[in-house]
C-alpha cells in the first residue's frame, strides 16, 4: 500500500453503563400518560423509530468523560505513546464549556493517567451539530497528508449526549456515547480518500439548541426533509468531483453508512440515495414499478417526494439491497440510541461487528460515508477496508459494552424513576437571596454574591451543585468529581470541571 494513503488505523467506542428498556416499563407508563395503546406505542418505538434500548449518562458522566474513555481504550489497546500523537480533535454538540475545547480536558485526563506531559498535541473542537466530528476527521486527514502534523497519529473523537424533554416525540431518540478513531498513514482498518469529498451547506432552522436551553429545538418532519435534501446535494457534489455516473457509484460500493439519529432514518436516507442512483440504470429500473421513476425524476420535494420514496422502500428489490448494503450498520443503534456526532462512526463499528458475527470478510470492500449535521451541512466520501481490518477494532469490546450484566456484559438496566431523576438533574440550580444571603442550596462564593449586591429578597442566583451520587458503581473510568467554587485572591475556578480516574 502506498505511503500517501491515510485513514482509520483503529476505532473504539464508549457508552455509559446505564440504559432504559424502551419496550418495558417505559412504554407501559408512557402509554398510560399519553392515552395511546401499549401496542401502538411499542410499534412506534420499535418499528417507527427502530430502537429498543436507550443509553443514559450517570451523574458522574458527561461528553468529556465518554470522550476520554473512548480515547483511552484506543491508546491502551494498541500501546500508543502520547509522544506519537500530534492531534486530538473532538466533534460535539453537547460541549461542557462555552470557551475551552473539550479536547483539552481529554488531553489533561490522558496525561494524568499516563503520568506524563504531552503539550505538543493540538486540541481543537469542531461544532456543526451531528457532523462536527466529520469536519474534524477531514481536517485531521489533511494534516496527515500534508505532513504538518509531524507525528505518526491523530485522534478524532465524536462524543455527545442526545437529550430531549420528557414525554415528547424526541424522547425515544435519546442516547449517549463516544467514538474515537486513531488516524495514520498506511492504516490497518480503513483507507479514506480525503481528496474527493462532496459537500453541501445550507442555512436552516431544522434543529438547534439556544444558549438558554439544555434541550434541542426540533422541527421533526421538516428536519427529515432538510436532511434528505442536503445529503442529496452532497452526493451530487461528490459525483461531479469524482467524475462518476450514478450507476457506477452504486455498483462500485459495497456498503452505505448514513448519519442515523434513529435507525429508521437509515431507511429514509437509503431510499433517497438508491432512488437517485438507480434512476440512471436501466437494469436496476427494470426491477421496480415504472411509475416510481417518473416521480423520482420529477422536481418534487417534501411530502410528495417522501411518499414516492416510501413506496420505493416497500419494494422487494429495495429490501434486498437495503439488507445487503445498509442494515448491518444499524444494529448497534437499536441497543444504544442516538449519539449525535458519533452515530455515523457507530454505524461503522456496527458493520464490522455484524460482519464478523455473520462470518463475512469485508477486506477490500468499499464503503460510502454520508454525514449530516442540522443547520445544515452534509458530506459524502468513500473508503476501503484493508486486509488487516480485524486488527483495527475489538469484537470483544463491542460485546461487553452492549450486553447486560446478567449475560456477562457491563450494562445496567434502570427503572423509569431513576431515568427521570437523571434526566431532570442539573449541575446548577437557582437559589433565592434572603437579606443578602443565600437561603437554600450549596453556599455560593461570597465574592460572587458581593458582585451582585445590593441583593433583594426576590433575587435568584445560580448555585453550583456539581454531580450527585452515581447510580452505578464507578469502576476503572474517568469521572466528573466536582465543580470549582472558589473565587479568592489565590484561586478563581468557579464552574471549572475537575475529573479523576477512579479505580
Amino acid at each position: 500500500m502506498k505511503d500517501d494513503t491515510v485513514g482509520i488505523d483503529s476505532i473504539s467506542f464508549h457508552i455509559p453503563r446505564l440504559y432504559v428498556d424502551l419496550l418495558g416499563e417505559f412504554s407501559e407508563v408512557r402509554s398510560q400518560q399519553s392515552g395511546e395503546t401499549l401496542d401502538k406505542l411499542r410499534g412506534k418505538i420499535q418499528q417507527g423509530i427502530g430502537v429498543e434500548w436507550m443509553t443514559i449518562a450517570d451523574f458522574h458522566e458527561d461528553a468529556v468523560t465518554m470522550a476520554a474513555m473512548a480515547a483511552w481504550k484506543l491508546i491502551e489497546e494498541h500501546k500508543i505513546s502520547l509522544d506519537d500523537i500530534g492531534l486530538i480533535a473532538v466533534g460535539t454538540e453537547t460541549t461542557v464549556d462555552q470557551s475551552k475545547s473539550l479536547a483539552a480536558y481529554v488531553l489533561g485526563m490522558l496525561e494524568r493517567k499516563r503520568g506524563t506531559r504531552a503539550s505538543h498535541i493540538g486540541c481543537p473542537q469542531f461544532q456543526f451539530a451531528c457532523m462536527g466530528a466529520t469536519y474534524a476527521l477531514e481536517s485531521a486527514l489533511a494534516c496527515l497528508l500534508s505532513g504538518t502534523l509531524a507525528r505518526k497519529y491523530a485522534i478524532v473523537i465524536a462524543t455527545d449526549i442526545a437529550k430531549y424533554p420528557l414525554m415528547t416525540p424526541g424522547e425515544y431518540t435519546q442516547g449517549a456515547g463516544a467514538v474515537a478513531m486513531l488516524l495514520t498513514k498506511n492504516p490497518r482498518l480503513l483507507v479514506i480518500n480525503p481528496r474527493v469529498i462532496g459537500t453541501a451547506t445550507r442555512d436552516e432552522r431544522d434543529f438547534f439548541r439556544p444558549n438558554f436551553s439544555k434541550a434541542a429545538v426540533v422541527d421533526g418532519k421538516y428536519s427529515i426533509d432538510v436532511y434528505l435534501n442536503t445529503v442529496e446535494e452532497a452526493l451530487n457534489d461528490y459525483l461531479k468531483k469524482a467524475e462518476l455516473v450514478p450507476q457506477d457509484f452504486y455498483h462500485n460500493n459495497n456498503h452505505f453508512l448514513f448519519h442515523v439519529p434513529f435507525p429508521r432514518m437509515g431507511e429514509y436516507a437509503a431510499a433517497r440515495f438508491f432512488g437517485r442512483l438507480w434512476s440512471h440504470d436501466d437494469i436496476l429500473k427494470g426491477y421496480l414499478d415504472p411509475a416510481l421513476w417518473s416521480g423520482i425524476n420529477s422536481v418534487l420535494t417534501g411530502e410528495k417526494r417522501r411518499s414516492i420514496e416510501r413506496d420505493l422502500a416497500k419494494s422487494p428489490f429495495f429490501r434486498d439491497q437495503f439488507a445487503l448494503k445498509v442494515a448491518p450498520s444499524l444494529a448497534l443503534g437499536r441497543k444504544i440510541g442516538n449519539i449525535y456526532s458519533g452515530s455515523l462512526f457507530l454505524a461503522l463499528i456496527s458493520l464490522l461487528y455484524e460482519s464478523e458475527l455473520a462470518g463475512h470478510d469485508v477486506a477490500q470492500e468499499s464503503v460510502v460515508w454520508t454525514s449530516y449535521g442540522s443547520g445544515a451541512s452534509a458530506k459524502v466520501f468513500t473508503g476501503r477496508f484493508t486486509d488487516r481490518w480485524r486488527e483495527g477494532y475489538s469484537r470483544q469490546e463491542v460485546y461487553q459494552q452492549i450486553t447486560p450484566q446478567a449475560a456477562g456484559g457491563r450494562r445496567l438496566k434502570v427503572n423509569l424513576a431513576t431515568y427521570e431523576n437523571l434526566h431532570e438533574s442539573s449541575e446548577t440550580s437557582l437559589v433565592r437571596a434572603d437579606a443578602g444571603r443565600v437561603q437554600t442550596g450549596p453556599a455560593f462564593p461570597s465574592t460572587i454574591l458581593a458582585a451582585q449586591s445590593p441583593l433583594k429578597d426576590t433575587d435568584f442566583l445560580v448555585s453550583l451543585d456539581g454531580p450527585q451520587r452515581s447510580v452505578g458503581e464507578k469502576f476503572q473510568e474517568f469521572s466528573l468529581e466536582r465543580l470549582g467554587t472558589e473565587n479568592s485572591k489565590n484561586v478563581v475556578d468557579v464552574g471549572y470541571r475537575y475529573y479523576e480516574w477512579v479505580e
Side-chain angles (χ1 to χ4, degrees):
M1 196 170 292
K2 296 180 179 180
D3 290 337
D4 64 350
T5 61
V6 291
I8 302 173
D9 189 69
S10 56
I11 189 167
S12 182
F13 79 112
H14 179 80
I15 59 171
R17 293 171 58 206
L18 307 184
Y19 76 98
V20 176
D21 182 354
L22 295 174
L23 305 180
E25 180 195 14
F26 179 93
S27 292
E28 294 170 359
V29 174
R30 288 290 185 264
S31 65
Q32 295 172 2
Q33 293 170 331
S34 66
E36 287 184 283
T37 66
L38 180 57
D39 287 344
K40 182 178 180 181
L41 180 57
R42 282 177 172 165
K44 182 188 299 183
I45 294 172
Q46 192 170 28
Q47 278 81 47
I49 301 297
V51 292
E52 298 173 4
W53 296 352
M54 179 174 70
T55 306
I56 54 174
D58 208 334
F59 289 117
H60 67 278
E61 296 175 306
D62 61 11
V64 183
T65 62
M66 295 188 303
M69 286 301 298
W72 176 247
K73 290 174 183 178
L74 271 186
I75 290 171
E76 280 293 283
E77 174 71 21
H78 301 285
K79 304 295 186 291
I80 305 298
S81 169
L82 295 185
D83 288 338
D84 291 331
I85 300 170
L87 178 73
I88 297 177
V90 173
T92 184
E93 61 178 283
T94 47
T95 189
V96 299
D97 192 290
Q98 293 297 315
S99 176
K100 180 177 177 177
S101 168
L102 188 154
Y105 278 111
V106 172
L107 175 62
M109 295 156 80
L110 297 176
E111 286 178 326
R112 292 190 293 274
K113 188 72 177 74
R114 276 285 173 90
T116 185
R117 289 278 288 124
S119 59
H120 64 275
I121 298 178
C123 291
Q125 178 171 306
F126 291 76
Q127 181 178 337
F128 203 133
C130 293
M131 66 173 294
T134 301
Y135 274 109
L137 176 68
E138 182 181 37
S139 177
L141 292 175
C143 288
L144 284 168
L145 270 181
S146 67
T148 58
L149 203 59
R151 305 280 170 162
K152 184 177 181 180
Y153 298 112
I155 291 179
V156 169
I157 309 170
T159 182
D160 272 307
I161 297 175
K163 189 173 183 179
Y164 301 99
L166 298 177
M167 292 181 283
T168 64
E171 188 179 18
Y172 322 130
T173 63
Q174 297 179 114
V179 178
M181 294 166 284
L182 187 69
L183 309 181
T184 191
K185 292 184 176 181
N186 223 358
R188 290 175 297 174
L189 177 61
L190 180 77
V191 172
I192 297 174
N193 181 8
R195 296 178 176 87
V196 182
I197 296 179
T199 301
T201 304
R202 308 166 66 167
D203 182 10
E204 292 284 359
R205 54 152 187 85
D206 60 313
F207 174 108
F208 59 96
R209 185 170 69 84
N211 283 335
F212 60 79
S213 175
K214 293 181 180 179
V217 179
V218 188
D219 190 341
K221 291 184 178 180
Y222 179 68
S223 185
I224 291 176
D225 283 334
V226 175
Y227 174 117
L228 296 174
N229 294 334
T230 308
V231 298
E232 185 177 23
E233 288 181 31
L235 171 62
N236 293 336
D237 187 53
Y238 179 91
L239 295 175
K240 181 178 179 180
K241 289 177 178 176
E243 299 182 343
L244 284 173
V245 294
Q247 58 267 40
D248 287 346
F249 183 71
Y250 180 77
H251 290 296
N252 291 346
N253 290 290
N254 305 94
H255 307 282
F256 286 76
L257 303 181
F258 297 102
H259 166 57
V260 278
F262 52 92
R264 190 67 184 277
M265 191 68 224
E267 181 179 308
Y268 300 157
R272 175 61 58 92
F273 260 52
F274 291 179
R276 166 80 173 84
L277 299 173
W278 293 350
S279 65
H280 295 266
D281 190 307
D282 291 336
I283 295 177
L284 294 180
K285 286 168 64 175
Y287 290 104
L288 296 161
D289 184 345
L292 287 172
W293 303 120
S294 62
I296 288 175
N297 291 325
S298 301
V299 182
L300 297 176
T301 59
E303 183 57 31
K304 290 183 178 180
R305 179 77 179 270
R306 291 279 309 285
S307 177
I308 293 171
E309 289 168 348
R310 282 194 292 269
D311 290 338
L312 174 66
K314 294 174 184 177
S315 67
F317 182 66
F318 176 90
R319 302 314 307 175
D320 289 343
Q321 294 300 298
F322 181 81
L324 183 67
K325 296 199 173 193
V326 182
S329 68
L330 306 179
L332 292 186
R334 302 185 192 282
K335 297 293 185 181
I336 293 173
N338 187 6
I339 61 171
Y340 282 163
S341 62
S343 72
L344 175 66
F345 307 106
L346 183 65
L348 171 62
I349 297 173
S350 182
L351 170 60
L352 297 171
Y353 186 68
E354 292 296 305
S355 295
E356 274 214 286
L357 290 180
H360 177 70
D361 186 359
V362 299
Q364 297 306 315
E365 291 187 346
S366 55
V367 57
V368 175
W369 306 64
T370 302
S371 182
Y372 174 75
S374 291
S377 188
K379 285 186 179 291
V380 172
F381 54 102
T382 58
R384 185 174 296 276
F385 292 109
T386 76
D387 294 332
R388 302 173 61 195
W389 65 273
R390 287 186 177 88
E391 300 175 26
Y393 98 111
S394 170
R395 174 178 170 181
Q396 181 61 24
E397 179 205 357
V398 177
Y399 177 82
Q400 284 289 326
Q401 291 208 72
I402 66 173
T403 305
Q405 287 181 332
R410 62 183 295 273
R411 302 190 81 179
L412 178 65
K413 184 168 73 172
V414 298
N415 59 29
L416 184 64
T418 301
Y419 151 66
E420 290 183 339
N421 183 36
L422 283 161
H423 187 283
E424 296 300 282
S425 68
S426 176
E427 296 170 353
T428 62
S429 61
L430 290 177
V431 292
R432 186 186 296 275
D434 179 17
R437 302 177 64 183
V438 174
Q439 186 179 27
T440 59
F444 203 76
S446 59
T447 52
I448 298 296
L449 288 178
Q452 303 292 328
S453 62
L455 292 171
K456 302 176 182 177
D457 291 349
T458 54
D459 285 345
F460 283 88
L461 300 171
V462 173
S463 173
L464 300 179
D465 299 333
Q468 301 179 35
R469 183 174 180 178
S470 300
V471 174
E473 182 181 1
K474 301 176 189 177
F475 179 70
Q476 293 185 346
E477 61 185 300
F478 291 111
S479 168
L480 172 62
E481 291 297 293
R482 66 184 180 90
L483 300 183
T485 59
E486 188 170 350
N487 189 1
S488 67
K489 63 180 182 179
N490 296 319
V491 176
V492 178
D493 71 347
V494 178
Y496 191 78
R497 307 174 77 80
Y498 289 93
Y499 298 95
E500 295 179 10
W501 174 267
V502 178
E503 275 298 333

